[in-house]
Amino acid sequence: MPNQPLTSLPNPEPSAKTSSERRRVPVLPVRDTVLFPHAVLPLTVGRESSIQLIESLGEERTIVVAAQIDPRLDSPQPSDLHTVGTLATVHKVVRMPNQSRFVFTEGLARVQLARYSQTEPFMIAEIEALAEIEPGESSNFEALVRNVVAQFQQIVSESPTLSDELRTIAANIEEPGRLVDFVASSLPFLTTADKQQLLETSEVVGRLEQLNKHLAKEIEVQQLRAKIQNEVQDQVQQSQRDYYLREQLKAIQKELGEQDEGQRDSEELRQKIEAAGMPEEVKKEALKELARLSRMSPMAADYSLTRNYIEWLAVLPWAKSSGSKIDIAKAREILDEDHYELRKVKDRILDYLSVLELKPDMKGPILCFVGPPGVGKTSLGRSIARALGRKFQRISLGGMHDEAEIRGHRRTYIGALPGQIIQSIRRAETNDPVMMLDEVDKLGRDFRGDPASALLETLDPEQNNTFRDNYLDVPFDLSKVLFICTANMLDTVPPPLQDRMEIIPLQGYSEEEKVHIANRYLIPRQIKQNGITAEQIEFPEEAVRHIIRHYTREAGVRKLEQVIGTVCRKQARRVVEGNQAKLVVTREILREFLGGIQVRVETEAAERVKRPGVAIGLAWTPAGGDILFIEANKMKGKGGFTMTGQIGEVMQESMQAALTWVRSNAAELSLAEDFNKDLDLHIHVPAGAIPKDGPSAGVTMATVLASLLTDTPVRPLTAMTGEITLSGNVLPVGGIKEKFLAARRAGIQTVILPAENRQNVEEDLTPEMMEGVAVHYASHIEDVLDVALPLFKAHSDARAAAAKLAAVPAA
């Protein structure tokens, strides 16, 4: 229904019935519309009930127009209408082609809707007239009336939609109540709720005050709109002026035979494109964009975007290589100078250099260094770049979760840029740098894409010669780039990505290797970084070993370097305070500088296995190897079996397999067949806050149960690893070097390993590493128990002798 009323008609006097007692009048519900007294309002009537109401009117064409509380209701009931409406006269009814009616109504007076006497087919209600409460004459009241008239006239004059005749009509209305109703019905910005509130207010002063607030707010809005319009107009005029002056400048430069700035830019970009050595396909695209740029105005929105795109194409090293001569001997010298040991990695790089010299156009390998923190994966990448004579670029992938970080954003986005791969190529200024993708195992993944999947193309030598960045949208050859990835573990790296990389494990360092690394690299570097000289501090080998054993517990050397740096800083402070004497680091000095020893693994390993039911296992972690205590206990019960220590499903299954083997071989352990009938067993893996999983502790579980049930303590300082089967076979496990080094760091003297891991020991462990540790190989769980439980070996020897005697025939 239209909300805007027509110009007010002359006000007919209300009939005598409007001021009398209650009378029954049909009620016409309307949506989003409020009819004020003395106003004429055209209404479109479409409801069946409302049409029947209009058709039923005879000569008495009086109705009540009432607004709905909820305009969405199609069949309102009396409770859905406001209780105050407007008594109105229907002047004219026009039948529309769609069967609706167009009704012209004129408001007469405010009325209160009382009891409804009829609801079907249309509503009829008893009404009471609401008398207006007019104040006495006062200067405040007169000022309020004049203010309303002035504000209304100002709004009309500034509004393009309101007729100027409204100003004259408002000025000629003398009755304040009628003035308020006229102004309220003429304002399109008032909401239905505001109009209904004005209709329900019988005090003229109250209506004037409400209307005055609405008018003041609208004037403020109009002023703000005019201010914004003026600012926009000024900007448009300034742009037109700039365009006109720029066109004049172009005409003048053309007459003088000079080039404008845009032409000079285009010429410079053209020269860069010609000198970049692009492939023909890329050059064609670049020249196409350049021709488009030359036709654009510098003020155009796309001008800077197109220019940036052309500059990116022009500055990339399409044909520029490092071009350094390959020197195998020098490369070996650089690798040995920067890193101790790591023979496999160094041999792989030297093999690559040898093939590169014989076949210069070979594709770069995709290497992946996997190892615990602090073993030198990232620094090894820098060393390889130096040995090859190439630029080094590093991209940290840790926490990256947006595929566009690898491939770039499309140019349609504001602030779009190429991905990290192309940006690193630009920074390197050659097309064959050494590019390190650090922490590839810590890539994220969310609704923005999967960066690991985006790397599949980048790290595939068969595909990356036509790598297409989303921003550039032209192929770039990455086949000459030497990609080196690093990871602490491969569990989180997708198998298709692992398949594209050559995995090179970097295992932890032994104590001897750490001593060499500390003396050759760490101590000189920390002395230099802390501003002291080699003449002012000395680290004897005994002190270095003491730091390694009792102040660090790691596979790498990062913590070791931090502790050495702490000692150097303490000496730097002594020097600054005036003590110039040379400091020879001893155990007492370390205790003074670093506090008491922090790692007591030898004592711990010896003390905790004194009682039966405790054994030491060997575990692999992303930070290297570690020892793992496993404890078991028994109590009276009904054959229950409890497993605790935040262990995973695989480790729980290993515990069940170990218990099954012990129960099936109870006789060999000198146990009753139903030994667990009246017992409850409990296996616990301490450090319960740390999740643990894997099958490699199977033999340790079986040993713990055998030790507990036979009341035999495990041999002191003995550790073991291996997976167990239900038949008692010991299967091979991984991470042998890390586990062995962890055992040695903990002071273990006997290590039991699966027999099938003998080759790993011979390849990865040197005689110096194995010095002082006895290694036993087991193919069956009895082999483990023979070493770990001396009493079991005595029993098994006795059983073997008895069996041998029984086999001898009697004389």
Side-chain angles (χ1 to χ4, degrees), residues 458-751:
T458 309
L459 300 182
D460 189 343
E462 298 300 323
Q463 299 180 39
N464 63 11
N465 59 339
T466 56
F467 174 74
R468 191 177 288 268
D469 186 273
N470 287 335
Y471 180 83
L472 299 181
D473 201 26
V474 292
F476 189 91
D477 186 2
L478 296 177
S479 62
K480 296 182 180 179
V481 178
L482 173 56
F483 285 103
I484 300 177
C485 302
T486 70
N488 295 130
M489 55 194 300
L490 292 174
D491 295 4
T492 56
V493 181
L497 192 56
Q498 292 186 36
D499 186 56
R500 283 162 167 76
M501 302 185 294
E502 183 179 340
I503 308 296
I504 300 179
L506 271 68
Q507 291 144 339
Y509 296 117
S510 66
E511 182 178 311
E512 294 297 327
E513 291 172 335
K514 289 183 179 180
V515 171
H516 282 289
I517 292 170
N519 290 326
R520 286 181 57 179
Y521 306 104
L522 308 183
I523 294 173
R525 183 161 63 209
Q526 286 300 318
I527 288 175
K528 181 179 179 181
Q529 288 183 358
N530 288 284
I532 56 179
T533 63
E535 288 74 27
Q536 293 173 323
I537 190 170
E538 179 184 344
F539 284 86
E541 184 175 322
E542 181 187 355
V544 175
R545 291 184 184 276
H546 189 69
I547 293 174
I548 294 170
R549 290 173 183 170
H550 297 291
Y551 290 95
T552 66
R553 189 173 186 174
E554 58 177 347
V557 292
R558 187 169 291 151
K559 181 68 175 177
L560 175 60
E561 184 172 10
Q562 292 173 3
V563 174
I564 292 172
T566 301
V567 176
C568 291
R569 285 191 294 275
K570 297 289 187 183
Q571 172 61 3
R573 180 177 172 185
R574 286 160 53 108
V575 171
V576 172
E577 290 175 349
N579 187 351
Q580 298 291 334
K582 181 176 182 179
L583 176 67
V584 178
V585 180
T586 61
R587 294 192 176 195
E588 291 73 21
I589 294 292
L590 292 174
R591 189 180 301 111
E592 177 187 347
F593 286 175
L594 305 174
I597 61 176
Q598 299 170 7
V599 182
R600 298 178 174 85
V601 286
E602 298 95 334
T603 309
E604 183 183 27
E607 290 293 328
R608 291 179 63 172
V609 297
K610 284 185 176 179
R611 55 173 289 273
V614 181
I616 302 173
L618 297 174
W620 179 92
T621 70
D626 205 351
I627 63 171
L628 191 70
F629 289 95
I630 297 177
E631 302 178 353
N633 215 333
K634 60 184 178 179
M635 69 262 353
K636 287 186 178 180
K638 298 181 179 180
F641 187 48
T642 306
M643 301 167 284
T644 56
Q646 200 172 346
I647 53 181
E649 292 183 5
V650 176
M651 186 173 274
Q652 292 182 28
E653 291 170 357
S654 294
M655 292 181 177
Q656 294 283 2
L659 178 61
T660 300
W661 182 87
V662 170
R663 291 180 61 186
S664 63
N665 292 271
E668 295 184 17
L669 295 172
S670 302
L671 300 173
E673 290 288 339
D674 56 350
F675 68 87
N676 65 329
K677 181 177 68 173
D678 299 322
L679 290 178
D680 280 350
L681 298 177
H682 185 166
I683 293 187
H684 178 66
V685 186
I690 302 173
K692 314 166 193 72
D693 204 2
S696 64
V699 297
T700 317
M701 310 287 185
T703 304
V704 164
L705 290 172
S707 168
L708 175 71
L709 296 171
T710 60
D711 202 27
T712 307
V714 175
R715 173 185 288 184
L717 300 179
T718 299
M720 61 200 76
T721 184
E723 181 179 354
I724 188 175
T725 67
L726 289 178
S727 56
N729 294 325
V730 179
L731 302 183
V733 293
I736 293 298
K737 181 179 180 182
E738 289 86 349
K739 293 177 178 179
F740 186 88
L741 294 179
R744 185 169 181 183
R745 283 197 300 271
I748 300 297
Q749 296 175 359
T750 304
V751 174

Side-chain angles (χ1 to χ4, degrees), residues 385-403:
R386 197 160 72 90
L388 296 176
R390 298 187 186 182
K391 297 288 185 67
F392 177 77
Q393 290 295 317
R394 175 181 167 272
I395 301 174
S396 178
L397 301 180
M400 186 181 290
H401 48 254
D402 190 354
E403 175 256 354

Side-chain angles (χ1 to χ4, degrees), residues 206-404:
R207 296 212 300 275
L208 281 168
E209 290 175 347
Q210 291 178 33
L211 188 59
N212 189 43
K213 292 179 182 177
H214 293 308
L215 293 172
K217 179 181 177 182
E218 177 64 17
I219 289 174
E220 184 179 352
V221 172
Q222 282 191 346
Q223 290 173 348
L224 286 173
R225 187 176 63 82
K227 179 183 176 184
I228 294 170
Q229 184 67 24
N230 291 334
E231 291 176 353
V232 172
Q233 189 67 27
D234 291 343
Q235 291 176 358
V236 171
Q237 291 175 352
Q238 182 65 31
S239 300
Q240 292 174 342
R241 177 176 173 274
D242 292 347
Y243 176 76
Y244 178 69
L245 292 175
R246 196 171 289 108
E247 290 299 316
Q248 283 187 326
L249 181 60
K250 284 182 180 179
I252 294 171
Q253 289 175 336
K254 186 175 181 181
E255 290 295 327
L256 294 175
E258 297 178 355
Q259 286 185 327
D260 64 1
E261 186 176 348
Q263 290 174 326
R264 284 199 301 272
D265 281 353
S266 297
E267 190 57 36
E268 289 176 5
L269 289 173
R270 187 180 302 279
Q271 293 174 4
K272 289 182 179 179
I273 291 172
E274 295 293 341
M278 300 177 183
E280 197 60 36
E281 177 188 352
V282 180
K283 185 177 180 181
K284 181 180 177 181
E285 179 68 20
L287 292 175
K288 175 184 171 184
E289 290 293 324
L290 181 61
R292 180 167 167 262
L293 180 72
S294 62
R295 294 192 299 268
M296 294 170 62
S297 167
M299 297 300 295
D302 288 348
Y303 184 85
S304 60
L305 301 179
T306 306
R307 179 184 169 85
N308 287 342
Y309 173 71
I310 297 172
E311 285 186 343
W312 267 102
L313 289 178
V315 299
L316 286 176
W318 298 94
K320 183 181 177 183
S321 301
S322 55
S324 57
K325 186 171 178 4
I326 298 172
D327 188 339
I328 300 293
K330 183 181 178 183
R332 182 187 292 110
E333 181 183 337
I334 291 174
L335 291 173
D336 289 339
E337 178 185 331
D338 290 348
H339 287 82
Y340 181 76
E341 282 298 327
L342 303 177
R343 292 259 64 87
K344 287 184 179 179
V345 183
K346 293 177 181 178
D347 288 344
R348 180 64 183 86
I349 298 303
L350 294 176
D351 293 346
Y352 165 66
L353 286 177
S354 303
V355 176
L356 188 63
E357 182 161 357
L358 298 175
K359 192 174 185 296
D361 59 342
M362 75 167 291
K363 296 176 180 178
I366 314 292
L367 307 180
C368 182
F369 298 157
V370 181
V375 296
K377 299 184 294 295
T378 305
S379 60
L380 186 58
R382 296 182 187 277
S383 177
I384 291 171
R386 197 160 72 90
L388 296 176
R390 298 187 186 182
K391 297 288 185 67
F392 177 77
Q393 290 295 317
R394 175 181 167 272
I395 301 174
S396 178
L397 301 180
M400 186 181 290
H401 48 254
D402 190 354
E403 175 256 354

